Amino acid sequence: MNKPAHVMGGLTAGIAAAKYIVPTVSHNGFVDGIVGIGAVLFGAVLGSLLPDIDHRQSYIGRKLKIASFIISKTLGHRSVVHTPLIIFAFSELLFFFSNELTGQVQVMSKFLVIGLSAGMWSHLILDLMTKRGIPLLYPFTKKSFRIANFKGGGIGDTIATTGCTILIILMILDLKIPF
């Protein structure tokens, strides 16, 4: 998938996280409403691009050149940073560190981490729909898995973006998803 599809997927995951997960997170009441939702959405969009740090020509790879170069050269594209185990571990590590903070900073960092995690998971789901797939069971096997066979930048991106748009509308209007 390309950047617009990943951003749309991240935005969709961020809205879902803000709507369904954030209300279950205990916080001190100082950070709520638009600020908290903004932190989740910012994190989700950033997280939707973050796994492509292992590709030096990706949007995030061009912004974080040194990190992208090191990860690309040592790990390659769609390897470790495109695996559920690493995304889970990274999210847990960030959430652990956010719990060490206090007050409003802690709440904002929790919301940001929730968004980052949701965005990274959306990235993996979208990349599961590409020809290359992702190493779903890494480190047990490096075999790539996929659930569709779309080429990046093609009809798959259009389907993903359209599907995300529909899901966002349904969530905003609080309509029931028909599946």
Side-chain angles (χ1 to χ4, degrees):
M1 297 286 162
N2 62 19
K3 178 187 165 201
H6 281 304
V7 167
M8 195 63 163
L11 187 60
T12 305
I15 291 170
K19 186 172 176 83
Y20 303 111
I21 296 173
V22 166
T24 67
V25 176
S26 63
H27 54 84
N28 58 13
F30 289 119
V31 180
D32 219 351
I34 197 76
V35 176
I37 292 169
V40 172
L41 294 180
F42 174 77
V45 171
L46 179 61
S48 73
L49 299 173
L50 198 55
D52 276 341
I53 196 167
D54 63 1
H55 188 279
R56 292 170 46 200
Q57 296 307 313
S58 69
Y59 177 79
I60 196 88
R62 290 190 315 267
K63 298 296 179 195
L64 302 172
K65 291 179 183 183
I66 295 171
S68 181
F69 176 80
I70 292 168
I71 293 170
S72 174
K73 287 297 182 187
T74 57
L75 303 173
H77 182 51
R78 287 211 189 162
S79 62
V80 176
V81 294
H82 275 79
T83 63
L85 183 63
I86 296 301
I87 299 298
F88 177 75
F90 184 66
S91 298
E92 285 298 313
L93 182 68
L94 291 178
F95 202 76
F96 170 78
F97 285 130
S98 72
N99 278 330
E100 298 301 310
L101 302 171
T102 59
Q104 292 177 337
V105 174
Q106 181 189 49
V107 176
M108 286 300 291
S109 65
K110 280 184 179 181
F111 288 173
L112 184 67
V113 170
I114 289 168
L116 271 169
S117 182
M120 290 185 292
W121 283 106
S122 77
H123 186 104
L124 294 189
I125 291 168
L126 289 175
D127 277 358
L128 266 171
M129 294 187 240
T130 63
K131 286 183 181 187
R132 187 159 180 198
I134 63 168
L136 196 60
L137 301 175
Y138 184 89
F140 306 109
T141 178
K142 291 183 180 180
K143 182 182 186 298
S144 287
F145 294 85
R146 65 177 188 241
I147 57 175
N149 200 21
F150 296 123
K151 179 182 173 189
I155 188 73
D157 285 45
T158 304
I159 292 170
T161 303
T162 303
C164 287
T165 303
I166 291 168
L167 287 173
I168 288 171
I169 291 168
L170 291 173
M171 285 187 287
I172 289 173
L173 296 176
D174 209 19
L175 299 174
K176 302 299 179 212
I177 300 173
F179 50 81

